[in-house]
Amino acid sequence: MESKHLWQLISFYLSTTLALLRHLVLHILTLNQSPFIIKFMDLILSVYFRLCNLTPCAVDLDDQTTIHFWVTNHRRFDRPSLVMIHGYGGNPLWQFVYQVGPLSRRFNLYIPDLLFFGKSHSKSPFRSEFFQAKCLSDGLKRIGVDRFSVYAISYGGFVAYRMAEIRPDAVEKVAIVSSGLSFTDEQRDQQLRTIGRHPSEILVPKKPDDLRLLVNLSTFKQSTLKWVPDFLLRQFITLMYDHCRKEKIELADYLVKKKADPNLHVLTQENVGSSALKHIIILSMG
């Protein structure tokens, strides 16, 4: 009789343990299907931005368009103002994590989410870099930033160039990195043939391998994401690219279909040269 009760007790504990394990496994699988880990990392990055004396704010330009910024908490008038504009590689939290700490000690920083990235959005049908530039310029006006320099990468470089063009009174210096502003139609077509895919398939990835290709084409070290598991990359894609995916693709399509301008407007601002750019890179690396 005692052995029968003992077996019943063991069976109860075994069945309870198996049920708990089953629920745990199902919970883990559910987490892998949602961007839980990337959301947590995004939260950590936002905390880091706050520790760099930045705070988020949203500016409603009208009833259609809202621009989200990370801005310096307490502006110091003995420091210059610097606007940092990101590209297609996510949001500013991920693209400027290495730069924001050192630069926040020397500049009043203003870091926007471009329209349809992060928390900036618009109901407007316009998809040009001109529209992006105008919205950023208007947003900076609203928060009292009248004079500033611009540092931009990739797609952000197109926006920065147009900002400097339409606001020569406001933009002091310009640093544009890894942006194809001066590409000819022939150079662009050759690059597209080399890649063998439509740019929007790479700039707005759907699969982990698409994201790996985007990073490999954008960085010198091509094994950056080689060992990152697919489920993490899928989470990143869900959080960064699935939101406003249609609009992001339309932004890319606009640039691809646009004819190259052989007579680009010559900026009147001081263009940041290699020594100054090197100084920014040194600051970015701490």
Side-chain angles (χ1 to χ4, degrees):
M1 184 65 70
E2 289 182 2
S3 60
K4 182 179 180 181
H5 285 304
L6 180 61
W7 173 247
Q8 288 176 343
L9 187 62
I10 293 172
S11 298
F12 171 75
Y13 280 117
L14 281 174
S15 60
T16 302
T17 302
L18 289 173
L20 289 173
L21 284 173
R22 177 176 176 273
H23 283 294
L24 180 61
V25 169
L26 289 174
H27 184 62
I28 291 173
L29 290 175
T30 302
L31 289 181
N32 284 344
Q33 293 171 0
S34 67
F36 171 79
I37 297 174
I38 301 300
K39 279 185 177 180
F40 179 73
M41 294 171 68
D42 205 60
L43 175 63
I44 295 299
L45 292 176
S46 67
V47 170
Y48 175 67
F49 268 48
R50 289 178 184 274
L51 292 175
C52 293
N53 195 37
L54 298 173
T55 190
C57 74
V59 180
D60 295 324
L61 302 182
D62 50 40
D63 60 352
Q64 289 194 318
T65 303
T66 298
I67 299 290
H68 178 270
F69 288 91
W70 284 93
V71 303
T72 295
N73 265 320
H74 302 289
R75 187 185 311 179
R76 289 182 51 172
F77 292 97
D78 60 335
R79 291 181 178 178
S81 294
L82 178 65
V83 177
M84 303 176 69
I85 307 178
H86 66 88
Y88 260 87
N91 61 33
L93 295 175
W94 293 78
Q95 290 215 328
F96 295 134
V97 61
Y98 296 114
Q99 291 86 356
V100 70
L103 293 178
S104 66
R105 295 192 287 270
R106 296 176 181 243
F107 297 91
N108 296 313
L109 293 182
Y110 301 91
I111 309 176
D113 292 341
L114 288 171
L115 287 175
F116 312 118
F117 293 84
K119 297 178 181 178
S120 293
H121 55 86
S122 178
K123 296 178 183 177
S124 169
F126 299 118
R127 299 292 180 264
S128 71
E129 74 275 20
F130 283 99
F131 183 66
Q132 293 268 15
K134 183 180 184 306
C135 289
L136 292 193
S137 297
D138 290 348
L140 290 165
K141 276 185 183 178
R142 296 285 183 91
I143 58 177
V145 184
D146 299 318
R147 297 282 292 170
F148 55 89
S149 296
V150 184
Y151 168 68
I153 61 173
S154 186
Y155 174 70
F158 290 88
V159 179
Y161 174 83
R162 297 305 178 187
M163 287 177 71
E165 182 183 18
I166 65 178
R167 292 291 310 282
D169 59 316
V171 180
E172 296 177 323
K173 299 179 182 179
V174 181
I176 295 175
V177 181
S178 301
S179 189
L181 275 168
S182 58
F183 261 31
T184 65
D185 289 334
E186 292 75 18
Q187 289 173 326
R188 181 182 58 195
D189 293 343
Q190 176 61 41
Q191 184 70 13
L192 293 178
R193 284 194 295 270
T194 301
I195 297 172
R197 298 180 61 182
H198 194 278
S200 63
E201 296 177 7
I202 303 169
L203 291 172
V204 192
K206 285 185 177 180
K207 300 177 296 185
D209 284 344
D210 297 337
L211 183 55
R212 289 190 179 96
L213 178 59
L214 172 62
V215 173
N216 287 344
L217 290 171
S218 307
T219 59
F220 176 73
K221 293 183 178 180
Q222 296 197 354
S223 61
T224 307
L225 298 182
K226 185 177 180 180
W227 304 110
V228 179
D230 282 0
F231 82 90
L232 273 181
L233 297 182
R234 279 193 291 268
Q235 289 191 16
F236 187 85
I237 290 170
T238 297
L239 188 63
M240 298 295 164
Y241 296 104
D242 285 353
H243 173 65
C244 293
R245 173 175 289 274
K246 174 177 173 290
E247 290 80 1
K248 290 185 178 76
I249 291 174
E250 290 170 350
L251 292 174
D253 286 344
Y254 177 87
L255 284 182
V256 172
K257 294 175 182 176
K258 180 182 175 183
K259 285 288 184 182
D261 185 357
N263 300 307
L264 279 174
H265 175 77
V266 178
L267 299 180
T268 58
Q269 291 86 357
E270 178 183 349
N271 294 310
V272 177
S274 58
S275 60
L277 186 57
K278 182 180 179 181
H279 184 59
I280 288 178
I281 293 172
I282 292 172
L283 282 176
S284 301
M285 297 176 65

